[in-house]
Amino acid sequence: MMMHVITNFTASAGAETMLARLLRGATDERIIVVSLIGVSDRNRNLANNPRVIYVPLAAGSLAALPGAVLTLAQLIRKERPDAILCWMYHAMIAGMIAARMARCEAPVYWNIRQSLDDPASLTRSSRLAIAGAKLLSNQPAGIIYNSTRALELHRAYGYVNRNMVVIPNGFELPRIGPPEATTARRIGIVGRFHPQKDHGTFFKAVAAVRDTHPHALFSAAGNGVSRDNRAVVDLMAEAGLPEHAVDLKGEISDMPSYYRSIDALVLSSRTEGFPNVIAEAMSYAKPIVTTDVGDAAAVAGKAGIAVPARNPEALAKAIREILDLSPTEYARYARTARERVENEYAINAIREKYAEFLMH
Protein backbone atom coordinates (compact mmCIF):
# COMPACT_ATOMS: atom_id res chain seq x y z
CA MET A 1 0.00 0.00 0.00
CA MET A 2 1.31 3.40 -1.02
CA MET A 3 0.87 6.56 1.06
CA HIS A 4 1.25 10.06 -0.36
CA VAL A 5 1.62 13.04 1.98
CA ILE A 6 1.12 16.46 0.39
CA THR A 7 0.96 19.96 1.82
CA ASN A 8 -2.33 21.03 0.26
CA PHE A 9 -4.37 18.90 -2.15
CA THR A 10 -6.89 21.71 -2.67
CA ALA A 11 -4.40 23.65 -4.80
CA SER A 12 -4.43 23.33 -8.57
CA ALA A 13 -0.72 23.96 -9.17
CA GLY A 14 1.90 21.69 -10.71
CA ALA A 15 2.58 19.35 -7.78
CA GLU A 16 -1.09 18.65 -7.11
CA THR A 17 -1.81 18.09 -10.79
CA MET A 18 1.13 15.69 -11.12
CA LEU A 19 0.03 13.68 -8.07
CA ALA A 20 -3.49 13.46 -9.48
CA ARG A 21 -2.10 12.19 -12.80
CA LEU A 22 -0.07 9.52 -11.00
CA LEU A 23 -3.12 8.46 -8.99
CA ARG A 24 -5.23 8.25 -12.13
CA GLY A 25 -3.06 5.49 -13.55
CA ALA A 26 -2.16 3.76 -10.27
CA THR A 27 -3.07 0.07 -10.08
CA ASP A 28 -2.35 -0.51 -6.37
CA GLU A 29 -5.23 -2.15 -4.51
CA ARG A 30 -5.20 0.65 -1.94
CA ILE A 31 -3.67 4.12 -1.89
CA ILE A 32 -3.88 6.75 0.82
CA VAL A 33 -3.43 10.47 0.14
CA VAL A 34 -2.92 12.58 3.27
CA SER A 35 -3.19 16.34 2.81
CA LEU A 36 -1.97 18.57 5.64
CA ILE A 37 -4.67 21.08 4.69
CA GLY A 38 -7.49 19.76 2.49
CA VAL A 39 -8.64 17.94 -0.64
CA SER A 40 -10.53 19.55 -3.52
CA ASP A 41 -13.16 18.03 -5.79
CA ARG A 42 -11.03 19.18 -8.72
CA ASN A 43 -8.13 16.98 -7.68
CA ARG A 44 -10.36 14.01 -6.73
CA ASN A 45 -11.98 14.19 -10.16
CA LEU A 46 -8.66 14.56 -11.95
CA ALA A 47 -7.32 11.47 -10.14
CA ASN A 48 -10.57 9.58 -10.84
CA ASN A 49 -9.44 6.45 -8.95
CA PRO A 50 -11.91 4.72 -6.58
CA ARG A 51 -9.06 2.88 -4.82
CA VAL A 52 -7.68 6.14 -3.38
CA ILE A 53 -8.61 7.10 0.20
CA TYR A 54 -8.23 10.80 1.04
CA VAL A 55 -7.42 12.03 4.54
CA PRO A 56 -7.44 15.84 5.00
CA LEU A 57 -5.86 17.01 8.27
CA ALA A 58 -7.16 20.62 8.17
CA ALA A 59 -3.84 22.06 9.42
CA GLY A 60 -4.28 25.49 7.89
CA SER A 61 -2.05 27.26 10.40
CA LEU A 62 1.33 26.78 12.00
CA ALA A 63 -0.34 26.19 15.37
CA ALA A 64 -2.32 23.27 13.92
CA LEU A 65 0.74 21.56 12.45
CA PRO A 66 1.89 19.60 15.58
CA GLY A 67 -1.56 18.04 15.93
CA ALA A 68 -1.55 17.12 12.23
CA VAL A 69 1.87 15.45 12.58
CA LEU A 70 0.58 13.42 15.55
CA THR A 71 -2.52 12.35 13.59
CA LEU A 72 -0.32 11.42 10.63
CA ALA A 73 1.93 9.32 12.88
CA GLN A 74 -1.11 7.47 14.22
CA LEU A 75 -2.34 6.85 10.66
CA ILE A 76 1.07 5.51 9.57
CA ARG A 77 1.18 3.21 12.60
CA LYS A 78 -2.31 1.91 11.77
CA GLU A 79 -1.98 1.53 7.99
CA ARG A 80 1.67 0.37 7.82
CA PRO A 81 2.28 1.53 4.23
CA ASP A 82 4.90 -0.12 2.03
CA ALA A 83 6.31 3.30 1.09
CA ILE A 84 5.58 6.96 1.85
CA LEU A 85 6.09 9.72 -0.73
CA CYS A 86 6.03 13.28 0.65
CA TRP A 87 5.26 16.14 -1.74
CA MET A 88 6.49 19.71 -1.01
CA TYR A 89 8.59 21.02 1.86
CA HIS A 90 6.04 21.21 4.69
CA ALA A 91 4.79 17.70 3.93
CA MET A 92 8.37 16.43 3.65
CA ILE A 93 9.15 17.61 7.18
CA ALA A 94 5.81 16.47 8.62
CA GLY A 95 6.00 13.08 6.90
CA MET A 96 9.55 12.39 8.06
CA ILE A 97 8.82 13.33 11.69
CA ALA A 98 5.55 11.37 11.72
CA ALA A 99 7.23 8.27 10.27
CA ARG A 100 9.90 8.42 12.99
CA MET A 101 7.24 8.87 15.68
CA ALA A 102 5.36 5.84 14.28
CA ARG A 103 8.61 3.83 14.20
CA CYS A 104 7.76 3.06 10.61
CA GLU A 105 10.14 0.75 8.76
CA ALA A 106 8.76 1.66 5.32
CA PRO A 107 11.00 3.90 3.19
CA VAL A 108 10.10 7.59 3.19
CA TYR A 109 10.79 9.48 -0.04
CA TRP A 110 10.65 13.20 -0.75
CA ASN A 111 9.34 14.88 -3.90
CA ILE A 112 10.70 18.40 -4.47
CA ARG A 113 8.77 20.44 -7.04
CA GLN A 114 10.45 23.82 -6.65
CA SER A 115 13.68 25.32 -7.93
CA LEU A 116 15.65 27.93 -5.97
CA ASP A 117 16.43 30.41 -8.76
CA ASP A 118 15.01 33.30 -6.73
CA PRO A 119 14.22 32.39 -3.08
CA ALA A 120 13.18 35.99 -2.38
CA SER A 121 10.07 35.40 -4.52
CA LEU A 122 8.90 32.62 -2.17
CA THR A 123 6.82 33.11 0.97
CA ARG A 124 8.47 33.31 4.39
CA SER A 125 6.78 30.03 5.33
CA SER A 126 8.25 28.31 2.26
CA ARG A 127 11.73 29.69 2.95
CA LEU A 128 11.58 28.41 6.55
CA ALA A 129 10.39 25.00 5.36
CA ILE A 130 13.19 24.82 2.77
CA ALA A 131 15.74 25.53 5.51
CA GLY A 132 14.16 23.02 7.89
CA ALA A 133 14.03 20.29 5.26
CA LYS A 134 17.73 20.83 4.53
CA LEU A 135 18.54 19.70 8.08
CA LEU A 136 16.63 16.44 7.47
CA SER A 137 17.69 15.88 3.85
CA ASN A 138 19.96 12.92 4.63
CA GLN A 139 17.04 11.06 6.26
CA PRO A 140 14.75 10.04 3.36
CA ALA A 141 15.41 6.89 1.36
CA GLY A 142 15.58 9.04 -1.74
CA ILE A 143 14.63 12.42 -3.17
CA ILE A 144 12.81 13.00 -6.47
CA TYR A 145 13.27 16.36 -8.19
CA ASN A 146 11.12 17.38 -11.14
CA SER A 147 13.96 19.30 -12.79
CA THR A 148 17.72 19.07 -13.11
CA ARG A 149 18.01 22.73 -12.11
CA ALA A 150 16.11 22.04 -8.88
CA LEU A 151 18.46 19.17 -7.99
CA GLU A 152 21.56 21.25 -8.67
CA LEU A 153 20.34 24.28 -6.69
CA HIS A 154 19.18 22.23 -3.70
CA ARG A 155 22.50 20.38 -3.64
CA ALA A 156 24.33 23.72 -3.69
CA TYR A 157 22.05 24.96 -0.90
CA GLY A 158 23.07 22.02 1.26
CA TYR A 159 20.62 19.18 0.60
CA VAL A 160 22.57 15.95 1.06
CA ASN A 161 21.26 12.55 0.02
CA ARG A 162 22.93 9.63 -1.74
CA ASN A 163 19.80 8.69 -3.71
CA MET A 164 18.61 11.69 -5.73
CA VAL A 165 16.96 11.46 -9.13
CA VAL A 166 15.26 13.75 -11.65
CA ILE A 167 11.84 12.59 -12.89
CA PRO A 168 10.09 15.23 -15.02
CA ASN A 169 6.36 15.86 -14.99
CA GLY A 170 4.19 13.70 -17.22
CA PHE A 171 1.26 14.68 -19.42
CA GLU A 172 -1.78 13.16 -21.05
CA LEU A 173 -1.65 13.89 -24.77
CA PRO A 174 -4.81 15.63 -25.98
CA ARG A 175 -6.31 14.92 -29.35
CA ILE A 176 -5.61 17.81 -31.68
CA GLY A 177 -6.50 18.45 -35.28
CA PRO A 178 -4.57 20.43 -37.88
CA PRO A 179 -3.41 23.78 -36.42
CA GLU A 180 -6.00 26.53 -36.83
CA ALA A 181 -3.45 29.34 -36.88
CA THR A 182 -0.95 29.81 -39.69
CA THR A 183 0.87 32.56 -37.78
CA ALA A 184 0.79 33.74 -34.18
CA ARG A 185 -1.46 36.57 -33.06
CA ARG A 186 -3.01 35.47 -29.74
CA ILE A 187 -0.49 35.34 -26.87
CA GLY A 188 -1.39 33.84 -23.49
CA ILE A 189 0.14 33.45 -20.05
CA VAL A 190 -0.98 30.94 -17.42
CA GLY A 191 -0.09 31.16 -13.74
CA ARG A 192 -1.50 32.21 -10.37
CA PHE A 193 -0.90 35.77 -9.23
CA HIS A 194 2.27 35.38 -7.17
CA PRO A 195 5.63 37.21 -7.10
CA GLN A 196 7.45 34.20 -8.53
CA LYS A 197 5.28 34.33 -11.68
CA ASP A 198 6.33 37.98 -12.23
CA HIS A 199 3.28 39.28 -14.07
CA GLY A 200 4.82 42.76 -13.83
CA THR A 201 7.53 41.79 -16.30
CA PHE A 202 4.92 40.24 -18.59
CA PHE A 203 2.78 43.40 -18.58
CA LYS A 204 5.81 45.60 -19.34
CA ALA A 205 6.72 43.31 -22.25
CA VAL A 206 3.14 43.47 -23.54
CA ALA A 207 3.25 47.28 -23.45
CA ALA A 208 6.43 47.26 -25.54
CA VAL A 209 5.07 44.71 -28.04
CA ARG A 210 1.82 46.67 -28.53
CA ASP A 211 3.89 49.61 -29.79
CA THR A 212 5.23 47.56 -32.70
CA HIS A 213 2.47 44.93 -33.10
CA PRO A 214 -0.84 46.72 -32.38
CA HIS A 215 -2.92 43.81 -33.71
CA ALA A 216 -1.52 41.24 -31.25
CA LEU A 217 -3.97 39.98 -28.63
CA PHE A 218 -3.03 39.12 -25.04
CA SER A 219 -4.77 37.12 -22.33
CA ALA A 220 -3.85 35.94 -18.84
CA ALA A 221 -5.33 33.01 -16.91
CA GLY A 222 -4.69 31.97 -13.31
CA ASN A 223 -5.95 32.31 -9.78
CA GLY A 224 -6.01 35.99 -8.83
CA VAL A 225 -5.27 37.24 -12.35
CA SER A 226 -8.58 39.06 -12.67
CA ARG A 227 -9.89 42.59 -12.92
CA ASP A 228 -11.28 42.50 -9.36
CA ASN A 229 -7.71 42.09 -8.02
CA ARG A 230 -6.47 45.64 -7.45
CA ALA A 231 -2.83 44.55 -7.40
CA VAL A 232 -3.13 43.18 -10.96
CA VAL A 233 -4.84 46.33 -12.23
CA ASP A 234 -2.13 48.46 -10.59
CA LEU A 235 0.64 46.38 -12.21
CA MET A 236 -0.95 46.92 -15.62
CA ALA A 237 -1.19 50.66 -14.98
CA GLU A 238 2.47 50.78 -13.89
CA ALA A 239 3.38 49.15 -17.20
CA GLY A 240 1.45 51.82 -19.07
CA LEU A 241 -1.19 49.41 -20.36
CA PRO A 242 -4.78 50.46 -21.09
CA GLU A 243 -7.35 48.69 -18.93
CA HIS A 244 -8.39 46.15 -21.57
CA ALA A 245 -4.99 45.56 -23.21
CA VAL A 246 -4.84 42.12 -21.57
CA ASP A 247 -7.91 39.92 -21.20
CA LEU A 248 -7.71 38.93 -17.51
CA LYS A 249 -9.57 35.64 -17.23
CA GLY A 250 -8.83 34.61 -13.64
CA GLU A 251 -8.84 30.92 -12.75
CA ILE A 252 -10.17 28.74 -15.56
CA SER A 253 -11.61 25.25 -15.16
CA ASP A 254 -11.54 24.45 -18.89
CA MET A 255 -7.81 24.71 -19.62
CA PRO A 256 -7.98 22.67 -22.86
CA SER A 257 -10.20 25.35 -24.40
CA TYR A 258 -7.82 28.05 -23.20
CA TYR A 259 -4.75 26.38 -24.72
CA ARG A 260 -6.65 25.95 -27.99
CA SER A 261 -7.60 29.65 -27.94
CA ILE A 262 -4.01 30.93 -27.97
CA ASP A 263 -1.27 30.75 -30.60
CA ALA A 264 1.71 30.86 -28.23
CA LEU A 265 2.34 30.72 -24.48
CA VAL A 266 4.54 33.02 -22.40
CA LEU A 267 6.12 32.19 -19.03
CA SER A 268 7.62 35.20 -17.22
CA SER A 269 8.57 33.51 -13.92
CA ARG A 270 11.44 34.45 -11.62
CA THR A 271 11.78 30.85 -10.41
CA GLU A 272 10.36 27.46 -11.39
CA GLY A 273 11.09 23.77 -11.10
CA PHE A 274 9.38 22.04 -14.01
CA PRO A 275 6.69 24.46 -15.27
CA ASN A 276 3.66 22.34 -16.16
CA VAL A 277 2.05 25.04 -18.26
CA ILE A 278 4.87 24.96 -20.81
CA ALA A 279 4.51 21.26 -21.56
CA GLU A 280 0.71 21.49 -21.41
CA ALA A 281 0.70 24.24 -24.04
CA MET A 282 3.24 22.31 -26.12
CA SER A 283 0.96 19.26 -26.05
CA TYR A 284 -1.54 21.46 -27.91
CA ALA A 285 1.20 22.35 -30.44
CA LYS A 286 1.80 25.88 -29.12
CA PRO A 287 5.21 27.59 -29.35
CA ILE A 288 6.74 28.94 -26.13
CA VAL A 289 8.43 32.11 -24.90
CA THR A 290 9.93 31.56 -21.46
CA THR A 291 12.34 32.95 -18.93
CA ASP A 292 15.38 30.75 -18.38
CA VAL A 293 14.44 29.49 -14.90
CA GLY A 294 14.32 25.95 -13.55
CA ASP A 295 14.13 23.54 -16.47
CA ALA A 296 11.82 25.80 -18.48
CA ALA A 297 14.26 26.31 -21.36
CA ALA A 298 15.16 22.61 -21.42
CA VAL A 299 11.49 21.61 -21.54
CA ALA A 300 10.69 24.03 -24.35
CA GLY A 301 13.78 23.03 -26.35
CA LYS A 302 13.53 24.05 -29.99
CA ALA A 303 9.81 24.69 -29.59
CA GLY A 304 10.50 27.96 -27.82
CA ILE A 305 12.67 30.96 -27.09
CA ALA A 306 14.27 31.45 -23.65
CA VAL A 307 15.31 34.82 -22.22
CA PRO A 308 16.73 36.03 -18.88
CA ALA A 309 14.27 36.47 -16.01
CA ARG A 310 13.10 39.95 -14.93
CA ASN A 311 14.02 41.47 -18.30
CA PRO A 312 10.92 42.95 -20.01
CA GLU A 313 12.89 44.11 -23.07
CA ALA A 314 14.24 40.60 -23.76
CA LEU A 315 10.79 39.09 -23.20
CA ALA A 316 9.22 41.60 -25.60
CA LYS A 317 11.85 40.86 -28.25
CA ALA A 318 11.15 37.11 -28.02
CA ILE A 319 7.37 37.64 -28.25
CA ARG A 320 7.93 39.74 -31.37
CA GLU A 321 10.00 36.92 -32.89
CA ILE A 322 7.08 34.52 -32.43
CA LEU A 323 4.58 37.05 -33.83
CA ASP A 324 6.82 37.58 -36.88
CA LEU A 325 7.16 33.88 -37.78
CA SER A 326 6.16 32.95 -41.31
CA PRO A 327 3.46 30.27 -41.69
CA THR A 328 6.16 27.68 -42.46
CA GLU A 329 8.24 28.67 -39.44
CA TYR A 330 5.20 28.75 -37.14
CA ALA A 331 4.16 25.28 -38.29
CA ARG A 332 7.65 23.97 -37.53
CA TYR A 333 7.56 25.39 -33.99
CA ALA A 334 4.09 23.93 -33.44
CA ARG A 335 5.06 20.49 -34.72
CA THR A 336 8.26 20.48 -32.65
CA ALA A 337 6.28 21.39 -29.52
CA ARG A 338 3.85 18.50 -29.84
CA GLU A 339 6.51 15.94 -30.78
CA ARG A 340 8.70 16.95 -27.82
CA VAL A 341 5.94 16.20 -25.30
CA GLU A 342 5.10 12.92 -27.05
CA ASN A 343 8.73 11.79 -26.97
CA GLU A 344 9.89 13.09 -23.58
CA TYR A 345 6.98 13.68 -21.22
CA ALA A 346 4.16 11.18 -21.91
CA ILE A 347 2.51 10.26 -18.60
CA ASN A 348 2.82 6.47 -18.95
CA ALA A 349 6.61 6.62 -19.22
CA ILE A 350 6.77 8.97 -16.21
CA ARG A 351 4.58 6.64 -14.10
CA GLU A 352 7.01 3.81 -14.85
CA LYS A 353 9.95 5.93 -13.70
CA TYR A 354 8.20 6.64 -10.40
CA ALA A 355 7.39 2.97 -9.84
CA GLU A 356 10.94 1.92 -10.61
CA PHE A 357 12.45 4.48 -8.22
CA LEU A 358 10.06 3.87 -5.35
CA MET A 359 10.17 0.08 -5.46
CA HIS A 360 13.81 -0.67 -6.29
Side-chain angles (χ1 to χ4, degrees):
M1 188 269 288
M2 183 75 191
M3 178 181 286
H4 295 272
V5 182
I6 190 165
T7 300
N8 183 12
F9 208 43
T10 68
S12 55
E16 295 76 22
T17 300
M18 186 60 216
L19 173 54
R21 287 179 181 144
L22 283 183
L23 295 173
R24 188 181 185 93
T27 57
D28 312 55
E29 287 186 16
R30 196 158 178 267
I31 307 156
I32 295 179
V33 173
V34 182
S35 173
L36 298 185
I37 297 178
V39 178
S40 69
D41 289 339
R42 179 259 188 194
N43 290 331
R44 286 178 187 264
N45 294 337
L46 188 58
N48 191 27
N49 189 334
R51 292 184 296 276
V52 179
I53 298 166
Y54 297 95
V55 183
L57 299 182
S61 68
L62 196 60
L65 204 52
V69 172
L70 181 59
T71 302
L72 178 56
Q74 293 168 343
L75 186 64
I76 292 171
R77 194 178 298 121
K78 175 188 172 187
E79 297 292 345
R80 303 181 66 177
D82 297 313
I84 302 171
L85 179 57
C86 305
W87 298 65
M88 317 286 280
Y89 302 108
H90 295 84
M92 285 155 40
I93 295 171
M96 183 58 66
I97 293 173
R100 294 292 173 262
M101 290 172 63
R103 297 182 180 177
C104 171
E105 295 182 2
V108 178
Y109 297 92
W110 285 1
N111 200 334
I112 294 179
R113 322 295 300 171
Q114 178 69 56
S115 188
L116 298 175
D117 295 283
D118 188 355
S121 69
L122 305 175
T123 64
R124 180 173 180 272
S125 177
S126 291
R127 293 197 300 272
L128 288 172
I130 290 167
K134 178 177 75 169
L135 302 176
L136 298 172
S137 62
N138 65 335
Q139 300 287 315
I143 302 178
I144 297 169
Y145 294 87
N146 70 345
S147 72
T148 302
R149 179 80 171 149
L151 188 155
E152 291 170 349
L153 289 176
H154 281 81
R155 181 183 279 153
Y157 181 72
Y159 277 59
V160 179
N161 192 285
R162 285 186 286 181
N163 188 24
M164 299 198 292
V165 66
V166 175
I167 303 179
N169 292 349
F171 301 86
E172 308 277 358
L173 287 162
R175 292 182 179 178
I176 58 173
E180 296 177 12
T182 54
T183 57
R185 185 186 177 206
R186 302 165 299 177
I187 306 298
I189 186 171
V190 177
R192 73 192 190 282
F193 187 65
H194 187 282
Q196 77 180 68
K197 302 300 180 183
D198 198 3
H199 285 86
T201 287
F202 173 70
F203 291 144
K204 289 173 184 174
V206 169
V209 172
R210 280 168 51 88
D211 288 341
T212 56
H213 295 69
H215 297 297
L217 301 174
F218 298 91
S219 65
N223 185 25
V225 188
S226 54
R227 219 161 288 284
D228 58 6
N229 184 344
R230 188 71 211 174
V232 175
V233 176
D234 288 347
L235 271 185
M236 288 184 63
E238 286 173 25
L241 285 175
E243 187 176 341
H244 296 288
V246 179
D247 183 9
L248 302 177
K249 294 182 172 294
E251 189 159 16
I252 292 177
S253 57
D254 185 6
M255 286 308 299
S257 291
Y258 182 77
Y259 286 125
R260 289 188 174 98
S261 76
I262 62 176
D263 302 325
L265 181 92
V266 173
L267 186 89
S268 57
S269 296
R270 291 163 57 178
T271 182
E272 288 283 352
F274 184 115
N276 269 359
V277 294
I278 287 183
E280 286 171 359
M282 288 166 62
S283 74
Y284 287 89
K286 307 300 178 179
I288 302 297
V289 172
T290 182
T291 47
D292 189 4
V293 293
D295 274 16
V299 174
K302 293 182 179 179
I305 301 170
V307 300
R310 309 182 79 173
N311 188 328
E313 295 80 13
L315 194 66
K317 181 174 182 289
I319 293 171
R320 290 190 190 101
E321 285 185 44
I322 294 295
L323 291 170
D324 290 340
L325 291 174
S326 70
T328 301
E329 292 168 329
Y330 180 83
R332 178 170 53 79
Y333 267 90
R335 186 172 59 251
T336 300
R338 172 71 179 200
E339 289 174 352
R340 184 153 177 74
V341 178
E342 286 179 351
N343 295 335
E344 302 292 335
Y345 306 117
I347 186 62
N348 288 340
I350 301 305
R351 285 189 187 118
E352 289 176 8
K353 290 182 179 181
Y354 267 87
E356 182 181 345
F357 183 74
L358 296 172
M359 299 305 171
H360 76 269

